[in-house]
Amino acid sequence: MGLLSDPVRRRALARLVLRLNAPLCVLSYVAGIAWFLALVFPPLTQRTYMSENAMGSTMVEEQFAGGDRARAFARDFAAHRKKSGALPVAWLERTMRSVGLEVYTQSFSRKLPFPDETHERYMVSGTNVYGILRAPRAASTESLVLTVPCGSDSTNSQAVGLLLALAAHFRGQIYWAKDIVFLVTEHDLLGTEAWLEAYHDVNVTGMQSSPLQGRAGAIQAAVALELSSDVVTSLDVAVEGLNGQLPNLDLLNLFQTFCQKGGLLCTLQGKLQPEDWTSLDGPLQGLQTLLLMVLRQASGRPHGSHGLFLRYRVEALTLRGINSFRQYKYDLVAVGKALEGMFRKLNHLLERLHQSFFLYLLPGLSRFVSIGLYMPAVGFLLLGVGLASLVAPLLISQAMGLALYVLPVLGQHVATQHFPVAEAEAVVLTLLAIYAAGLALPHNTHRVVSTQAPDRGWMALKLVALIYLALQLGCIALTNFSLGFLLATTMVPTAALAKPHGPRTLYAALLVLTSPAATLLGSLFLWRELQEAPLSLAEGWQLFLAALAQGVLEHHTYGALLFPLLSLGLYPCWLLFWNVLFWK
Amino acid sequence: MAAAMPLALLVLLLLGPGGWCLAEPPRDSLREELVITPLPSGDVAATFQFRTRWDSELQREGVSHYRLFPKALGQLISKYSLRELHLSFTQGFWRTRYWGPPFLQAPSVWINLGRSSVMSSQGSSAPLSTSSTPPTQSLPLPPSNPWVWPMTLTTTFCAMLCCRGRWSAPKTSPPGRSSCPVVPRASLISFHLLQAGLSVLLKADRLFHTSYHSQAVHIRPVCRNARCTSISWELRQTLSVVFDAFITGQGKKDWSLFRMFSRTLTEPCPLASESRVYVDITTYNQDNETLEVHPPPTTTYQDVILGTRKTYAIYDLLDTAMINNSRNLNIQLKWKRPPENEAPPVPFLHAQRYVSGYGLQKGELSTLLYNTHPYRAFPVLLLDTVPWYLRLYVHTLTITSKGKENKPSYIHYQPAQDRLQPHLLEMLIQLPANSVTKVSIQFERALLKWTEYTPDPNHGFYVSPSVLSALVPSMVAAKPVDWEESPLFNSLFPVSDGSNYFVRLYTEPLLVNLPTPDFSMPYNVICLTCTVVAVCYGSFYNLLTRTFHIEEPRTGGLAKRLANLIRRARGVPPL
């Protein structure tokens, strides 16, 4: 059909685009950033609403009154835990059975690829305990999950107490139409991953675990609970899951409606909700929350054990009890009532949660930005790249990326033999060494290339690199908007600028500053800045090293995709631009 | 709520115009019976059974006078020359591992129609098998039409019976028999009770506070004498419920009729020739002092049930001394010493079924078969009916026991036809002693046509349970019994020979999500249509409004043509 359009007019358009290339690039970049900033203002951010009719009203009468029971369970749990030094499996089994559940255990073990220094673990073995409440006159085809991840320290015992008290209360009711699984996992997320893999009878991450004896059909929704004190001042909700997946927005709406009903104070990203969206203050506060969410989602880490459920298409979120210095506090009964209300509403679900949004950004609990509104921001940024046949540099860059992906974990033993470092340090340092070694590439590639490459070969290389970058960023932005946006913000301008003439040192400095690793470092500083706990340089560096190690570790333990994405995709692409810059 | 209450064809037509035709000796009789059994987990199972027997050749004689036998069913038998009919409706799932082998060989699927809460979480499954005589000319509808039975039964039982696709017949079943092993999502709305005798206890709001609820109708001919020269028709209506000890008894395992049914027995049924309550008082340890029933029973009965020796206390309601004293019989059972609840005895055979994998493309159906017998292996016949929209890959069928491959001694597989018939997979598998056998087969989820999705496509699609039939070795030898003389409930446990007993188990039904389009977004459809129209419109408009000229290639004058002719003749390339 293109044949039939007027070629003269088309040529004129192309000429216009070519002539105004540079201003258009700048304009679209600025437009992209401006659009993103504008997302927090009311016409673009909308009020959340419940889409699922089955959960429409909050007309359930919460009857949970087991606050004392929950505290007693929590005390017992903490005492038994201190005594045994691990999860008191026998006590949990006995207690769950005494409240009338069908109780099963699952043992698992996992050898991490290298020692995890943040959590101080390497060879992990533990036991998960779960009890199933069977719905009367139902055939166990559907279920809901309430889970409490227990780490190595003795936090979260109040959550276990509340879980048991809720189980005891739920068991006495006759209205359940779905089975309810009460799950207590050891080694927080590792245990959850082991349980989920065993429940779905798959092995994604190389976990060794015993098969599950009892199942309860297809899991419809899950809530993870983290409480470390008898009273809370607020409940913080975490939605960001593995690889930036988000639960259906209706689940969050459900939580919010029950918070409002019970008068509970809720926070998102640890931030209170702005009251007034019409003045400037509200949106600015919203922007802070939104940026925190973008950073967290871009990290691709599961922020709470709910994040691992999302891979199995189980809508899930984590509730964290926060106990700060605020005057007014809520006890466990209030939290328990909110949970009871949520479970009763989820029990009413006729279908899986599917009505509301799966792709959204949250500037506040009661406001959201839908995918149709945030995609233009990244679209504008990528337009800059779009406006703006050399095999060897491509291959070498890819090989470098592969080395970055494989060598650090494989070579940790060699590194520890020759240098006085621990395994985890060795991995991180090798990572950085290979990363830095990539900077020396142009020198080497030119030995291979220079003979046959034409003079203007850098243009072809830059073209390929730009297309490659645009495709990658486009794909990332589709699945994980936050990560795509962050990377586009930093990489696009310098990628467009890179050429072998002009102020090369300035370009080189800019390019290094916007490389993926530098973006990560910058994000860490921004993160702490937004949390109002700024970092010093040395702290920032330490945090940076820890984040690198965590990134690699989470790829191996939960299958997080950020590390392979950066090392196999974006780093080689960035190296291409580096090559362009130092073209002879 | 009461109007919509979905119980119970039960005792559908127990009320007959009884009493006014006693001149001739009644040719029909009614026996009623209640068996109460404490289950290993502490829950209590109650099984009602009402048996009507009629000495009449329904198929041959033009019978028009009905007394105890329901007329609707009698006409069904004579009209369609029915030989047997078995129909059961079940809500809930018999948890074999905790409750022991099921009493009624009733399948257990349920369906969630209301699926909201309390009373509206209703649904039932209807396993159904009918046998009819070979088709003859006189039949009003050809029995090959698979819809005849569901339609007729639907009207009789006020139930919704619909089967996706054709009814299938397993290869192991006799010919001339059509059966639909399980119809998920059948609903049942009927209520008709005669309040006398044992049926006093059938109080709907109590029966629906139970963990399990199953009702069935069985019709079959029985021989009137040893040589079987004439036959009688037997109608058995059964109801079994399991009371949740945790909710009913507040954690204690003691029970009484009043606590379970919120009624007591007051009088025998005037129409019944036998009206009895059996209470299982078997003690598992040697010490006889663990439990106590009140009032003390007049007689006890011992028998071998499902491979174990059982003792029952008998209360005969027709025995005038039993009720007349207080016009009130409230049977109670108290445990003197609570039985250890830590490890309820596990039955020799139980099974579990689940879908593994994640994502909407592929999956795996896994069935775990447990043989907990310490030293004896036994074979199991596994029957799987899988809907066609799960495309099974039969080459991925793996059966492993104790880490080794287990070759089934018999396999019958009938592939599915899209939209017509489901997959049918039958296997005879030997289960080694004390082992877990895993049967798994991979499948791909098909994309349905958009009209084929149910109104709630994101709920998922049900896959009916697999059916396990096995001869399980028994602990004690049973001796053959006289069926007419022994209690009715004995007929629920067919004994094949002294050392084995027959068990049929149903695994859990499964809920599988298929790839589902986003039906809730007409907006998307509008957008897509507009885009397509816009793109096509632009190009077509362009095409239609332009004028085209065909430019002839210039051929030159006459002189040039002549020159070219000459040049061709000379073998020189033309100008």
Side-chain angles (χ1 to χ4, degrees):
Chain A
M1 310 223 180
L3 285 175
L4 298 172
S5 51
D6 185 353
V8 179
R9 216 173 305 159
R10 276 206 308 173
R11 220 173 293 145
L13 184 68
R15 220 174 292 138
L16 185 76
V17 169
L18 277 180
R19 203 174 62 228
L20 296 178
N21 185 10
L24 278 181
C25 280
V26 173
L27 193 67
S28 71
Y29 184 79
V30 172
I33 300 287
W35 187 284
F36 179 77
L37 294 180
L39 287 180
V40 287
F41 289 94
L44 289 181
T45 161
Q46 298 160 24
R47 192 168 278 282
T48 53
Y49 54 91
M50 188 75 85
S51 300
E52 177 68 61
N53 286 329
M55 305 196 303
S57 73
T58 50
M59 287 203 323
V60 290
E61 188 195 346
E62 296 94 340
Q63 292 163 331
F64 177 69
D68 293 334
R69 209 167 175 193
R71 276 189 291 280
F73 278 137
R75 264 197 310 278
D76 279 8
F77 176 77
H80 277 90
R81 182 174 189 157
K82 195 171 275 175
K83 204 161 62 184
S84 65
L87 197 70
V89 174
W91 180 84
L92 268 175
E93 273 189 274
R94 212 167 46 242
T95 316
M96 281 190 178
R97 202 166 279 138
S98 75
V99 299
L101 304 182
E102 251 183 65
V103 190
Y104 303 94
T105 58
Q106 179 216 10
S107 55
F108 63 93
S109 68
R110 172 85 164 97
K111 182 172 171 264
L112 301 182
F114 59 89
D116 179 1
E117 295 198 333
T118 351
H119 298 96
E120 292 171 351
R121 58 193 181 189
Y122 182 40
M123 307 275 282
V124 181
S125 66
T127 311
N128 297 328
V129 184
Y130 64 105
I132 304 178
L133 189 166
R134 297 289 184 190
R137 293 181 320 288
S140 299
T141 49
E142 294 169 282
S143 56
L144 306 171
V145 173
L146 176 62
T147 173
V148 171
C150 289
S152 47
D153 45 355
S154 61
T155 55
N156 235 2
S157 50
Q158 274 78 7
V160 175
L162 184 57
L163 174 132
L164 291 170
L166 274 174
H169 172 66
F170 286 179
R171 183 63 175 85
Q173 313 305 320
I174 51 159
Y175 43 66
W176 299 113
K178 297 176 170 60
D179 289 5
I180 302 178
V181 181
F182 296 91
L183 169 67
V184 179
T185 62
E186 200 173 1
H187 299 295
D188 45 47
L189 270 64
L190 278 178
T192 314
E193 178 69 26
W195 188 82
L196 278 169
E197 285 185 15
Y199 192 92
H200 294 92
D201 202 3
V202 288
N203 199 336
V204 188
T205 60
M207 186 85 64
Q208 274 117 34
S209 64
S210 59
L212 295 193
Q213 296 287 317
R215 283 187 171 76
I219 304 175
Q220 305 290 308
V223 177
L225 187 63
E226 295 178 17
L227 290 177
S228 301
S229 52
D230 284 344
V231 287
V232 296
T233 50
S234 61
L235 273 184
D236 190 52
V237 58
V239 286
E240 301 87 358
L242 187 69
N243 297 325
Q245 275 184 291
L246 297 172
N248 195 289
L249 190 57
D250 267 346
L251 194 61
L252 193 76
N253 294 341
L254 184 69
F255 167 71
Q256 202 218 342
T257 40
F258 275 99
C259 275
Q260 277 177 352
K261 189 184 176 196
L264 274 168
L265 192 64
C266 304
T267 58
L268 183 70
Q269 318 287 353
K271 300 279 168 206
L272 283 175
Q273 300 312 302
E275 300 288 325
D276 178 24
W277 286 84
T278 48
S279 69
L280 196 63
D281 281 353
L284 280 185
Q285 208 181 334
L287 183 65
Q288 201 179 6
T289 316
L290 185 74
L291 277 174
L292 277 169
M293 178 176 176
V294 163
L295 289 171
R296 259 176 140 181
Q297 195 192 3
S299 75
R301 309 178 47 183
H303 288 266
S305 65
H306 75 282
L308 300 172
F309 282 85
L310 295 172
R311 173 172 18 210
Y312 302 93
R313 218 196 143 194
V314 176
E315 308 310 323
L317 44 77
T318 293
L319 305 183
R320 275 194 194 97
I322 309 282
N323 193 11
S324 67
F325 303 107
R326 204 175 287 271
Q327 280 293 314
Y328 194 79
K329 300 195 190 260
Y330 305 92
D331 63 349
L332 292 182
V333 176
V335 183
K337 278 189 172 171
L339 281 169
E340 186 195 358
M342 285 177 72
F343 271 84
R344 287 193 62 179
K345 279 287 163 186
L346 289 171
N347 182 47
H348 289 185
L349 275 185
L350 300 178
E351 304 180 58
R352 270 172 195 276
L353 285 171
H354 68 284
Q355 300 271 16
S356 194
F357 293 89
F358 283 100
L359 302 162
Y360 52 87
L361 289 178
L362 294 169
L365 260 181
S366 58
R367 298 269 169 169
F368 78 103
V369 184
S370 80
I371 178 169
L373 292 169
Y374 68 58
M375 274 321 261
V378 83
F380 279 128
L381 292 182
L382 294 185
L383 198 64
V385 178
L387 292 174
S389 83
L390 294 165
V391 185
L394 284 174
L395 278 185
I396 292 175
S397 303
Q398 280 299 338
M400 207 65 202
L402 194 65
L404 188 66
Y405 175 65
V406 176
L407 282 186
V409 177
L410 278 186
Q412 51 173 322
H413 301 297
V414 185
T416 43
Q417 279 165 14
H418 292 84
F419 302 100
V421 285
E423 274 103 340
E425 280 177 338
V427 170
V428 176
L429 293 179
T430 324
L431 206 66
L432 285 178
I434 297 176
Y435 195 92
L439 301 187
L441 262 192
H443 192 68
N444 300 326
T445 40
H446 276 278
R447 253 182 233 155
V448 189
V449 177
S450 57
T451 47
Q452 75 260 26
D455 242 6
R456 291 164 70 87
W458 68 271
M459 283 188 163
L461 182 60
K462 189 177 170 186
L463 179 69
V464 171
L466 282 174
I467 291 174
Y468 189 33
L469 181 67
L471 282 178
Q472 284 194 49
L473 291 182
C475 293
I476 295 170
L478 275 184
T479 52
N480 184 344
F481 168 78
S482 305
L483 181 61
F485 180 79
L486 276 186
L487 289 170
T489 319
T490 53
M491 289 187 76
V492 165
T494 42
L497 281 179
K499 59 180 171 185
H501 326 292
R504 267 204 203 180
T505 36
L506 176 67
Y507 288 157
L510 274 180
L511 207 52
V512 168
L513 276 182
T514 57
S515 78
T519 310
L520 175 61
L521 190 62
S523 304
L524 287 175
F525 278 101
L526 179 60
W527 164 255
R528 296 299 287 263
E529 196 64 44
L530 287 170
Q531 282 202 323
E532 288 147 23
L535 282 173
S536 71
L537 267 181
E539 276 174 349
W541 180 250
Q542 284 304 320
L543 206 58
F544 174 65
L545 294 184
L548 283 182
Q550 283 300 309
V552 179
L553 208 55
E554 268 159 24
H555 170 57
H556 285 281
T557 44
Y558 312 126
L561 292 176
L562 184 64
F563 172 59
L565 190 79
L566 289 183
S567 61
L568 295 177
L570 282 163
Y571 175 66
C573 186
W574 180 84
L575 277 181
L576 290 180
F577 291 109
W578 190 253
N579 266 311
V580 168
L581 189 62
F582 290 100
W583 194 272
K584 280 182 190 148
Chain B
M1 206 66 203
M5 197 159 293
L7 205 238
L9 63 115
L10 229 278
V11 201
L12 178 67
L13 292 150
L14 262 186
L15 63 169
W20 45 269
C21 55
L22 291 174
E24 57 177 293
R27 291 162 66 205
D28 48 0
S29 63
L30 170 71
R31 289 168 73 184
E32 59 174 10
E33 191 179 283
L34 165 64
V35 188
I36 300 178
T37 320
L39 297 173
S41 68
D43 300 334
V44 181
T47 307
F48 291 86
Q49 196 168 173
F50 304 90
R51 190 180 82 155
T52 317
R53 196 182 142 158
W54 191 13
D55 297 339
S56 161
E57 303 264 334
L58 272 173
Q59 285 174 347
R60 271 184 228 150
E61 302 161 15
V63 180
S64 61
H65 178 64
Y66 288 80
R67 204 178 79 100
L68 290 175
F69 203 89
K71 189 170 180 179
L73 292 181
Q75 284 177 337
L76 198 73
I77 295 169
S78 49
K79 188 173 182 189
Y80 294 112
S81 304
L82 212 65
R83 278 203 191 144
E84 278 188 39
L85 171 74
H86 303 275
L87 174 66
S88 77
F89 297 92
T90 306
Q91 264 193 332
F93 175 64
W94 186 274
R95 308 196 179 277
T96 312
R97 187 174 162 192
Y98 293 91
W99 294 346
F103 296 165
L104 281 168
Q105 311 287 325
S108 30
V109 165
W110 62 280
I111 298 51
N112 232 343
L113 258 200
R115 267 201 323 270
S116 45
S117 60
V118 203
M119 296 308 286
S120 56
S121 89
Q122 66 194 356
S124 27
S125 74
L128 182 70
S129 58
T130 52
S131 313
S132 63
T133 49
T136 56
Q137 295 294 325
S138 62
L139 279 177
L141 281 166
S144 59
N145 181 349
W147 294 102
V148 175
W149 297 125
M151 288 301 173
T152 317
L153 294 174
T154 298
T155 48
T156 311
F157 293 102
C158 298
M160 272 248 323
L161 300 169
C162 53
C163 214
R164 264 175 181 265
R166 203 184 294 161
W167 289 22
S168 57
K171 209 176 176 186
T172 43
S173 68
R177 173 185 151 126
S178 61
S179 74
C180 185
V182 164
V183 188
R185 296 202 170 197
S187 69
L188 176 67
I189 318 140
S190 171
F191 202 85
H192 219 46
L193 291 178
L194 170 69
Q195 297 290 330
L198 291 179
S199 50
V200 169
L201 298 178
L202 301 178
K203 195 181 170 195
D205 65 335
R206 299 304 299 167
L207 295 182
F208 279 99
H209 283 192
T210 50
S211 323
Y212 176 83
H213 180 273
S214 173
Q215 49 196 5
V217 173
H218 305 274
I219 303 174
R220 59 168 190 171
V222 289
C223 294
R224 238 181 270 180
N225 50 28
R227 290 175 51 221
C228 218
T229 47
S230 55
I231 56 165
S232 308
W233 284 91
E234 182 199 71
L235 164 70
R236 284 196 291 129
Q237 300 169 79
T238 62
L239 166 71
S240 51
V241 288
V242 174
F243 287 93
D244 187 345
F246 201 84
I247 291 181
T248 319
Q250 284 89 40
K252 281 193 211 160
K253 293 183 173 176
D254 303 342
W255 55 264
S256 69
L257 282 187
F258 188 76
R259 196 186 279 173
M260 290 194 292
F261 297 99
S262 75
R263 299 252 175 103
T264 52
L265 291 170
T266 49
E267 54 177 356
C269 175
L271 296 175
S273 60
E274 185 187 299
S275 184
R276 282 179 178 177
V277 179
Y278 291 83
V279 178
D280 183 353
I281 51 167
T282 317
T283 48
Y284 292 100
N285 30 7
Q286 301 304 316
D287 192 4
N288 272 339
E289 292 299 302
T290 49
L291 55 82
E292 169 180 68
V293 275
H294 181 83
T298 44
T299 46
T300 59
Y301 169 79
Q302 284 210 344
D303 199 0
V304 174
I305 301 290
L306 292 176
T308 46
R309 189 170 298 282
K310 299 263 187 184
T311 315
Y312 292 91
I314 303 177
Y315 297 90
D316 193 345
L317 297 191
L318 293 177
D319 179 3
T320 44
M322 189 59 73
I323 285 185
N324 276 8
N325 294 341
S326 59
R327 304 229 2 112
N328 180 7
L329 174 63
N330 182 20
I331 304 169
Q332 298 177 26
L333 182 139
K334 282 202 175 77
W335 293 91
K336 285 186 176 168
R337 219 178 38 196
E340 323 65 73
N341 56 353
E342 287 302 314
V346 180
F348 288 150
L349 174 69
H350 62 273
Q352 188 192 6
R353 194 170 189 226
Y354 56 90
V355 183
S356 31
Y358 60 92
L360 286 179
Q361 195 198 353
K362 283 182 190 167
E364 192 173 36
L365 286 176
S366 307
T367 313
L368 296 178
L369 309 173
Y370 295 84
N371 174 4
T372 57
H373 201 287
Y375 52 86
R376 276 193 60 180
F378 54 85
V380 163
L381 187 70
L382 177 74
L383 169 66
D384 256 332
T385 322
V386 183
W388 63 267
Y389 38 80
L390 304 187
R391 305 194 188 284
L392 293 185
Y393 291 126
V394 185
H395 73 278
T396 61
L397 176 69
T398 49
I399 304 167
T400 47
S401 320
K402 294 183 168 174
K404 277 182 292 185
E405 197 195 340
N406 186 345
K407 272 225 158 94
S409 38
Y410 160 79
I411 289 193
H412 166 64
Y413 174 66
Q414 183 186 334
Q417 287 173 22
D418 279 6
R419 297 171 182 87
L420 287 178
Q421 71 174 29
H423 301 267
L424 187 76
L425 186 60
E426 270 183 297
M427 284 175 284
L428 191 66
I429 305 169
Q430 184 79 13
L431 303 184
N434 201 6
S435 70
V436 184
T437 304
K438 182 177 178 184
V439 182
S440 63
I441 185 164
Q442 290 178 12
F443 64 85
E444 195 181 278
R445 299 160 203 246
L447 194 63
L448 301 186
K449 291 180 182 169
W450 70 279
T451 46
E452 286 169 345
Y453 286 96
T454 49
D456 52 351
N458 283 289
H459 176 62
F461 290 75
Y462 287 100
V463 177
S464 50
S466 27
V467 186
L468 300 171
S469 316
L471 286 174
V472 178
S474 54
M475 301 291 274
V476 232
K479 53 181 186 303
V481 285
D482 180 11
W483 292 109
E484 274 303 308
E485 295 307 313
S486 62
L488 289 177
F489 68 84
N490 264 358
S491 57
L492 302 177
F493 313 106
V495 176
S496 64
D497 65 66
S499 60
N500 292 319
Y501 61 94
F502 178 77
V503 167
R504 177 171 293 151
L505 291 185
Y506 294 82
T507 61
E508 298 96 329
L510 301 174
L511 191 59
V512 178
N513 274 88
L514 295 184
T516 312
D518 186 2
F519 293 112
S520 64
M521 285 289 206
Y523 171 73
N524 287 349
V525 181
I526 295 168
C527 286
L528 187 70
T529 323
C530 290
T531 316
V532 171
V533 167
V535 168
C536 292
Y537 175 78
S539 304
F540 273 101
Y541 182 75
N542 203 341
L543 200 63
L544 292 174
T545 52
R546 246 168 234 233
T547 50
F548 293 91
H549 301 282
I550 297 171
E551 205 169 314
E552 291 290 328
R554 293 181 69 87
T555 46
L558 187 66
K560 194 178 178 183
R561 279 193 204 170
L562 278 176
N564 273 344
L565 270 179
I566 297 164
R567 285 175 83 96
R568 196 179 295 163
R570 284 169 56 203
V572 183
L575 284 173

